[in-house]
Structures are given as structure tokens and as C-alpha cells.
């Protein structure tokens, strides 16, 4: 079938995820006005931009919570434009959503189990829980505590751990630093690098552009539903426009 | 570690003892109900065995509704539709309604010449459960895409539509399906027939001197079966998915929970038990009448779930038995004891007051679900989606 050919093509240049002129609407509101981007294997790619620029909508379009009206999204050569959320998880994309969205009345352990919901190899669960506990020792201490009772930073760790439980090949993180104390923010970005070094490709949405560009290989700057700039992270960090708009320099 | 041990071993010994004692006491009820009723002052409030059957049947429906409302968090205001579907399945498959056909299969203690379809009532209960589950899926497919209040409104609609269909179903293209407003009666009773009567099993409940007791014991067995299934389901992968949807639907979808399929399963399973209960009740009453299937019943069942504790099986049983008792004879007894004969006329006002009082003083129900209970003890705010700090050492950075 043709998907084989596409898959081969996708791997040959290392592109894992590709968005091609994606338009997404909320009712009549045109939220994404033709987003095209790609994420290559092993990369950390960041989407930065102001509130309402379409960063989260881009992630929601990828993982199937929103369906693009036009355009095409492919993951490892497979068309996932119209795939429902549970299929996308199964294919290997998982997400730590904006605002964390843990299951507040489930324990930390149960939340992690939910992350592995779509996996059929349930026996390997223990191994992955241990891996998450290795990354976040704090979660191991709190495994029986209800997720809703933890601090914001701990909840964010749990949300990232939960997303890892799906054994994703592409991990999407939506504003992982939102509302956290500076010390937690640094810790979270260290973890992002660590996860990436362990071999997971990462698509990172952030308002904290400085930290995000430090952690990323490449970045896209979104403005009102369109890509305004795309470059290597180091280049974006030096870009005057970016410095003015997002890095707080005048 | 907990997960490593077997399912049954994780239940504490106290739980086993308590459950067994309650089950044994329930089965023995007919033998000591008489002595209880003889007690001074409180004796009059002891329900008759006949009334207990009705209470248990409604409790069974409440436990079924709890799967939809308590586990999956889907507000269903039309559960009475499932009760009706079950009752009419029994009416079609175990009565003389379709007198143009004579078909017997395992019917107990009836003359084989008796016209109409007469299946063994045990089979009818199963078929009623399955038929109602299919009804649940058919109602669920269009409605379960809606969320929250919208779902409640649409289910309310279905709860009204089904009784109307039943009331007007006596002439669909010349065929009388439902008997119109007269309903269908009589309906066969369960029994074990002549072949098994040698083993001491009753031939036919309705023809036995022990009718009430037999119906009672069977009702207890059916409730136990329902409870067993619902507890196992709650702790299964499917049950965890229901609770995830209840807690945060979007997050559940993002974790890979297929929303429609999971919600539809909750409808189908909730409906399954509602259908069995409905069919059994129809057999007990020996009739299915459209006037039984009013909106009030849906609300009444919902009150049982709320009173007992949403999501808590044991709570719902307690809530169901209390409200069931008030409904069947409690209010009338209280009324006559205090000299006000029309207390039962205010029943829905009284239930309303009970619910409001519960919301004020014990919002998680008489026996709260484990998850809610821990929340009360740990004193947690409800929505932690955005930053809520519980004094957890300096997590707020700005």
C-alpha cells in the first residue's frame, strides 16, 4: 500500500511529524491559518508565541482533540489528520496537556496507569512506572497520594510521567512551566532534556521562550494562527524580533 | 505491592465478614421478619416480605443506574426507559399477549396448550437484560456525544418518549404490541417446572404457598449478582476508564480512552441490570402497565443513588432500601402512626427535602465512594486543573 512508501520516505529524512497547511476552527473562529511544520526524529522542537497564537490548538489538532478542516498531518508517514484521540495515542503520540489535567481523585499510581491505557503490553507496566519514578523520585514518595492534593510542580511531574507511560515516540508538552516556581521550572526543563536524551522526540509548547529555546534544537514562532518565524533555536535566541517580543528585551 | 496480589486478596477481611453477614441476614429475612414485626413500638415499621421484593427490585435498578451516573458521571434522567423495556420484554415472552402464536420453551407449571409465547422466566430475564442493553446502545449512540446538562435533557426526553410509545403501541400497523393503556397482564411467574420439583425446587412461584418468600429469595440473589458484577466492573480496566471520563473527559481522551465506546458500554451495562430488574418486577406484579413508567421513577432512582453516595455500590444499596421502604410502606406507616393519613401524598416533597438536606450536610452520600471519602478526610478542593496550592512549600512562583 501507499502508506509503506510514505513511511519509507518519512524515515529517510528523519521527519517524524509533519503538518502541512493545517487550518483548524473553533466554530466560526479561524484558529490555525495554515500551519506547516515538521519534527525530526530525536529533536526537541518548540512552539513559542503569545497567548492565543494557536500553540495549544496546534497540539490539539495533532492529537485528535480538534480536527483540522483543511490540511494534512502525518506521523511516521501515516495520515492522522482525522484520527480520533485514542488512535493517535496508540500510534505513539502522547501529551502532557495544558493545565496538567490529572485525574484529581485518582492516586499518582492510578494516574500513571491511565497513561498506559492504550497499551496492550500491560505486563511491562511496572518497568515503565520504575522509569518514571527514576525521573521523578518525588512521585515515588507520593504514589498513593491523590493527584489533586499535590503541589503544582508535583502535578506537572505526574502529568509528564503519565504521558511517558504511553511509551510515546513523540511526546508533546503543553506549557509545562505554567504557574510553577522558578526552581520547579528549571527542574522540569532538565527533565525534558533527560527524556530527550533517552530517545524520545519532543514537541514543546511554551510561553517561557527563553527556557524553551535553551532546551530545543529548533523553534517555530506562532503569531495569530500562523508561523511567523522558523529557525534553529540558537538563531531564534539571537533574533532581534524574538528578543523584543518574547524574551522581554526592549 | 498492591497490584501484585490477587484481586480477592486485596479486599480486607473486615469487608468479607461484613458482606457475608449482610447476605446471610438478607436471605434469612423471611424467617425473622415476623418476630421483628411483633416488637413493640418499632414493629410496625418492619417491611413485609412482599414489600421487600419491591424495595430490592428498585435497589437493583439504582445499582444499575449507578454505573451510568456514579461511575461514568453521565447524568441520565431517563432510566425508566430501561425499566419499561425490561418489563415489556417479559410481557411479550411470558404471557398470553400474542395469543395468535402458541410457543412454550421451559415454561414452568403451565398447560402446554396455553396460547401465547411462554419462555422460561429465567431465560426471559436474560433476554430482557440483553434487549434492554441494546436499547441502551441505541439511545446512547445519538445522545452520548452530548455533555453534561445537554445529555440530561435528551435522556429526559427519551424517558418521556418510551412510556408514550408503550401507551400508544396497541395499534402499530394493526398489530397490538403493548396493550395500550391497559398494559399486558397476567405475566408468568418464575419456576423450575415438574422435572426439577423432585429436588425440592418450586414448580411455579405464583402457584406456591410460599410465593412471597420465593420471589424474595430470588430478588436477593439477583441483587447479589448485580452487586458482584458492578463491583468487579468498577475495578476493571473499563471501570477505570469510566472514572477517568467522570474526572476529566478531555484528559481521558488524551490518555487514549475511546470516549464513545466507553460511555456506550456504561449505558449498555446500566441498562442490562435495569432490564433484568424490570422484567422480574413485571413477573412479580404479573403485569406491565404504561402508568408504571413515569418520569418520577427516573428521579426516584436518581435520589437513591444520590442519597446513598454516587459511585458507591454499598451506599446505593442503603439509599435504595431506605427510599424504597419509604415509598412502599414507610411513609404510609409513619403517616398512620402520627395520625396524618395523607403523608404519602407528599412523598416527592419529602424526597426533595431529603436530597437537599444531603447536599447540605453530607454531599458525598450516606456511604461515600472510596475516592470521595479520602477527599473529605484529606480536605481537598475540587478542581485542581489550574494552580491550587495546598500549602505545598512554595510552589507559586509569582
Amino acid at each position: 500500500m501507499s502508506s509503506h512508501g510514505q513511511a519509507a520516505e518519512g524515515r529517510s529524512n528523519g521527519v517524524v511529524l509533519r503538518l502541512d497547511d493545517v487550518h483548524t476552527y473553533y466554530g466560526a473562529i479561524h484558529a490555525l491559518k495554515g500551519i506547516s511544520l515538521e519534527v525530526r526524529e530525536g529533536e526537541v522542537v518548540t512552539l513559542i508565541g503569545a497567548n492565543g497564537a494557536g500553540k495549544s490548538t496546534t497540539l490539539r489538532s495533532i492529537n485528535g482533540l480538534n480536527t483540522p478542516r483543511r490540511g494534512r498531518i502525518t506521523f511516521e508517514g501515516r495520515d492522522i489528520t482525522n484520527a480520533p484521540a485514542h488512535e493517535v495515542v496508540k500510534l505513539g503520540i502522547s501529551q502532557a496537556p495544558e493545565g496538567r489535567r490529572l485525574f484529581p481523585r485518582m492516586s499518582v499510581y492510578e494516574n500513571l496507569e491511565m497513561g498506559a491505557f492504550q497499551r496492550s503490553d500491560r505486563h511491562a507496566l511496572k518497568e515503565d512506572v520504575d522509569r518514571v519514578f527514576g525521573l521523578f523520585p518525588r512521585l515515588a514518595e507520593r504514589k498513593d497520594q491523590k493527584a489533586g492534593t499535590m503541589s503544582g510542580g508535583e502535578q506537572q511531574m505526574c502529568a509528564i510521567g503519565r504521558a511517558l507511560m504511553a511509551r510515546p515516540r513523540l511526546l508533546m508538552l503543553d506549557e509545562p512551566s505554567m504557574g510553577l516556581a522558578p526552581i520547579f521550572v528549571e527542574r522540569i526543563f532538565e527533565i525534558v532534556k533527560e527524556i530527550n536524551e533517552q530517545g524520545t522526540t519532543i514537541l514543546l509548547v511554551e510561553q517561557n521562550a527563553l527556557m524553551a529555546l535553551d532546551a530545543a534544537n529548533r523553534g517555530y514562532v506562532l503569531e495569530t494562527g500562523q508561523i511567523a518565524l522558523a529557525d534553529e533555536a540558537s538563531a531564534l535566541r539571537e533574533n532581534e524580533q524574538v528578543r523584543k517580543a518574547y524574551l522581554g528585551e526592549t | 505491592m498492591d497490584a501484585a496480589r490477587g484481586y480477592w486478596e486485596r479486599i480486607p477481611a473486615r469487608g468479607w465478614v461484613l458482606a457475608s453477614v449482610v447476605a446471610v441476614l438478607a436471605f434469612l429475612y423471611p424467617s425473622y421478619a415476623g418476630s421483628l414485626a411483633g416488637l413493640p413500638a418499632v414493629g410496625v415499621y418492619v417491611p413485609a416480605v412482599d414489600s421487600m421484593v419491591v424495595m430490592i427490585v428498585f435497589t437493583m435498578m439504582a445499582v444499575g443506574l449507578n454505573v451510568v451516573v456514579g461511575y461514568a458521571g453521565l447524568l441520565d434522567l431517563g432510566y425508566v426507559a430501561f425499566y419499561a423495556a425490561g418489563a415489556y420484554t417479559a410481557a411479550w415472552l411470558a404471557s398470553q399477549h400474542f395469543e395468535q402464536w402458541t410457543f412454550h420453551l421451559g415454561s414452568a407449571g403451565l398447560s402446554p396448550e396455553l396460547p401465547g409465547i411462554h419462555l422460561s422466566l429465567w431465560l426471559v430475564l436474560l433476554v430482557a437484560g440483553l434487549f434492554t442493553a441494546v436499547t441502551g446502545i441505541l439511545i446512547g449512540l445519538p445522545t452520548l456525544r452530548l455533555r453534561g446538562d445537554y445529555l440530561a435533557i435528551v435522556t429526559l426526553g427519551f424517558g418521556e418518549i418510551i412510556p408514550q410509545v408503550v401507551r400508544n403501541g396497541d395499534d402499530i400497523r394493526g398489530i397490538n404490541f403493548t396493550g395500550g393503556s391497559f398494559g399486558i397482564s397476567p405475566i408468568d411467574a418464575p419456576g423450575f417446572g415438574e422435572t426439577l420439583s423432585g429436588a425440592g425446587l418450586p414448580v411455579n412461584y405464583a402457584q406456591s404457598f410460599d410465593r412471597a418468600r420465593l420471589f424474595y429469595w430470588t430478588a436477593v440473589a439477583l441483587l447479589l449478582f448485580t452487586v458482584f458484577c458492578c463491583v468487579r466492573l468498577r475495578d476493571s480496566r473499563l471501570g477505570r476508564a469510566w472514572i477517568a471520563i467522570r474526572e476529566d473527559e478531555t484528559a481521558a481522551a488524551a490518555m487514549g480512552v475511546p470516549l464513545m465506546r466507553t460511555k456506550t458500554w456504561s449505558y449498555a451495562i446500566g441498562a442490562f441490570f435495569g432490564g433484568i430488574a424490570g422484567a422480574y418486577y413485571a413477573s412479580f406484579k404479573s403485569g406491565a402497565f404504561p402508568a408504571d413508567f413515569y418520569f418520577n421513577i427516573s428521579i426516584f432512582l436518581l435520589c437513591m443513588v444520590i442519597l446513598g453516595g454516587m459511585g458507591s455500590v454499598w451506599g446505593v444499596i442503603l439509599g435504595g432500601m431506605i427510599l424504597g421502604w419509604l415509598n412502599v410502606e414507610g411513609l404510609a406507616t409513619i403517616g398512620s402512626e402520627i395520625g396524618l393519613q395523607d403523608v404519602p401524598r407528599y412523598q416527592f416533597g419529602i424526597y426533595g427535602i431529603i436530597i437537599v438536606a444531603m447536599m447540605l450536610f453530607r454531599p458525598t452520600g450516606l456511604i461515600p465512594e472510596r475516592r470521595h471519602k479520602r477527599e473529605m478526610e484529606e480536605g481537598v478542593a475540587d478542581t485542581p486543573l489550574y494552580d491550587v496550592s495546598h500549602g505545598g512549600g512554595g510552589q507559586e512562583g509569582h
Side-chain angles (χ1 to χ4, degrees), chain B residues 20-345:
Chain B
S20 321
V21 168
V22 171
V24 169
L25 283 180
F27 270 107
L28 294 178
Y29 185 77
S31 60
Y32 60 81
S35 354
L36 280 185
L39 292 174
V42 293
V44 285
Y45 299 107
V46 174
V49 175
D50 249 346
S51 308
M52 282 290 271
V53 176
V54 182
M55 288 156 61
I56 290 172
V57 165
F58 277 94
T59 300
M60 192 172 151
M61 288 188 215
V63 174
L65 178 62
N66 184 45
V67 172
V68 182
V69 178
Y71 293 173
L74 305 165
L75 184 51
D76 181 354
L77 295 179
Y79 196 76
V80 70
F82 301 148
Y83 167 24
Y88 275 89
T89 312
W92 291 324
L93 300 181
S95 80
Q96 300 180 41
H97 181 65
F98 293 113
E99 56 196 1
Q100 58 271 48
W101 301 307
T102 300
F103 179 74
H104 285 249
L105 181 70
S107 59
L110 302 175
S111 152
E113 278 85 51
L114 197 65
I117 303 171
H118 298 274
L119 304 188
S120 160
L121 211 88
W122 309 118
L123 188 61
V124 170
L125 291 182
L126 180 67
V127 173
L130 295 177
F131 173 73
T132 312
V134 171
T135 313
I137 292 171
L138 292 179
I139 294 180
L141 286 179
T143 58
L144 287 173
R145 292 176 195 282
L146 301 168
R147 289 192 186 192
D149 304 350
Y150 300 100
L151 174 67
I153 292 165
V154 176
T155 55
L156 181 68
F158 272 103
E160 286 292 296
I161 290 167
I162 300 275
Q164 292 304 328
V165 169
V166 163
R167 183 176 291 277
N168 296 298
D170 54 352
D171 185 11
I172 299 175
R173 294 182 167 271
I175 301 168
N176 178 355
F177 275 103
T178 63
S181 49
F182 299 107
I184 297 173
S185 141
I187 294 173
D188 302 346
F192 296 92
E194 303 291 347
T195 37
L196 284 169
S197 64
L201 293 169
V203 176
N204 181 309
Y205 286 15
Q207 297 159 6
S208 163
F209 292 116
D210 262 343
R211 177 183 176 280
R213 286 197 212 192
L214 291 170
F215 267 106
Y216 172 80
W217 283 320
T218 311
V220 172
L222 285 174
L223 180 61
L224 281 179
F225 168 70
T226 309
V227 169
F228 174 81
C229 294
C230 288
V231 169
R232 286 309 311 255
L233 279 167
R234 180 193 64 199
D235 298 333
S236 70
R237 181 175 135 91
L238 182 60
R240 197 59 71 75
W242 286 334
I243 290 164
I245 288 178
R246 182 187 75 189
E247 301 275 291
D248 189 331
E249 190 168 325
T250 309
M255 292 306 109
V257 174
L259 295 182
M260 271 308 284
R261 198 187 313 158
T262 309
K263 288 183 184 179
T264 308
W265 268 115
S266 87
Y267 247 48
I269 289 165
F272 178 78
F273 294 113
I276 294 181
Y280 187 71
Y281 191 38
S283 168
F284 174 68
K285 279 199 311 191
S286 191
F289 311 102
D292 292 342
F293 307 119
Y294 272 115
F295 169 64
N296 292 350
I297 306 278
S298 299
I299 299 302
F300 183 54
L301 293 169
L302 195 62
C303 287
M304 291 177 170
V305 174
I306 293 169
L307 175 67
M310 277 195 267
S312 153
V313 174
W314 305 112
V316 172
I317 294 173
L318 184 64
M321 292 306 277
I322 292 173
L323 284 188
W325 172 73
L326 284 177
N327 188 47
V328 179
E329 53 175 64
L331 287 178
T333 316
I334 293 169
S336 66
E337 286 295 302
I338 61 174
L340 292 169
Q341 299 303 331
D342 50 359
V343 167
R345 287 171 57 192

